[in-house]
Amino acid sequence: MKIGFIGLGNMGAPMARNLIKAGHELLGFDVAPTNVEDITQDSIAKIAKECSIIFSMLPDGNVLRNVYEELIPLCNSKTILVDCSTVDVESALHVSREAEKNSIEVIDAPVSGGVVGAENGTLTFMVGGEKDAYDQIEPYFAIMGQKSVLCGGPGAGQSAKICNNMILGISMIGVCEAFNLAQKLNLNWSRLFDVVSTSSGSCWSVNTYCPAPAVGPESPADRDYKPGFAADLMLKDLKLSQEAARAVSAPTELGKHATEIYETFISEGGKGMDFSAILPYLAKK
Ligand code: NAD
């Protein structure tokens, strides 16, 4: 059984490679000439005809809608489409509804873990869709990742992803504010880390990904804030969280503020830097 993979960029190419390494025959497609000589590139039409499982890893919801508009009518009814891109919840629901009209299953399965996770096969998949379809795709998630969680029906994977990343964006800013305050109070960063990482302020942004250099486990702060997880991608996810919050009238004041802070940070030199570089940005203010 052949597998299709549409979108062979920074994330898609290493994910596709891991499926090939595990012995699967894979047909790929990308609109751009990509650096993936080891992956057979083909047309959407051929992928739709020959593959009963088709993954996608695309930039955003508009591209996903366009690709699926072309893809869905060409697929046969047993096909399962698995979109691993991070997109707005509404686009995930839209493509799921369109596919249903053609009796095709769609799973939304955005990931956490970044390019390193994609290369090492250690991604986490947050999945929305029907349980039967999930059960069929789970072995492929196990090849490309270390964990997959079925979060609910269509769109639930995207909902989980933006909720998680809204927490992360807010917590990283909070941690950066605290470390910047500590420095101004002449409090040593390593001592602060020792306290916070084992106290009630502990969180992933401190314990695993500390924004202060030479403190805690190695992180982008130790590599001049080269990403890691780029601030631009954090901003994308925060904007998606705000779009979703507006759609359901959920109050997310801190999420809104975090979005504004990342927007300003990026326009003032943070583009291309890791999202933890808010710390040196605050220190300069
Ligand atoms: P990328 O820009 O490197 O890759 C996207 C690929 O899609 C590109 O190769 C592009 O040419 C291709 N593409 C665009 N339009 C297309 C079309 N119509 N048909 C086929 N291919 C098309 O981006 P990426 O970093 O691989 O991210 C992909 C997705 O994963 C995004 O939704 C992103 O938010 C999400 N994500 C990225 C990371 C990360 O660290 N890079 C982490 C988690 C999630």
Side-chain angles (χ1 to χ4, degrees), residues 73-204:
L74 302 173
C75 290
N76 68 63
S77 62
K78 294 252 165 11
T79 310
I80 302 177
L81 303 179
V82 188
D83 181 49
C84 299
S85 330
T86 304
V87 305
D88 55 293
V89 176
E90 192 40 49
S91 290
L93 293 173
H94 171 82
V95 296
S96 171
R97 284 191 298 265
E98 291 303 304
E100 208 181 323
K101 289 181 197 159
N102 292 259
S103 309
I104 291 166
E105 292 273 7
V106 173
I107 288 180
D108 52 292
V111 302
S112 156
V115 176
V116 173
E119 283 166 354
N120 296 340
T122 54
L123 295 170
T124 296
F125 290 86
M126 296 153 246
V127 187
E130 299 306 324
K131 171 117 178 42
D132 279 359
Y134 170 75
D135 287 342
Q136 292 178 63
I137 303 303
E138 199 277 329
Y140 302 92
F141 291 145
I143 292 167
M144 296 183 283
Q146 62 186 355
K147 189 176 167 88
S148 64
V149 180
L150 180 59
C151 301
Q158 298 297 347
S159 301
K161 165 93 188 179
I162 55 172
C163 288
N164 179 72
N165 281 21
M166 189 177 80
I167 295 171
L168 178 62
I170 294 168
S171 75
M172 180 54 82
I173 293 170
V175 169
C176 289
E177 287 186 353
F179 273 75
N180 185 52
L181 173 63
Q183 191 172 47
K184 301 229 182 296
L185 296 170
N186 293 320
L187 172 62
N188 178 284
W189 275 345
S190 292
R191 296 294 81 75
L192 178 64
F193 176 85
D194 288 346
V195 171
V196 175
S197 63
T198 52
S199 299
S200 47
S202 74
C203 60
W204 188 87

Side-chain angles (χ1 to χ4, degrees), residues 9-11 29-32 57-59 63 67 86 111 114 233 236:
N10 293 325
M11 296 289 291
F29 176 74
D30 194 298
V31 280
M57 198 50 168
L58 298 163
V63 176
V67 167
T86 304
V111 302
L233 285 174
K236 173 190 170 181

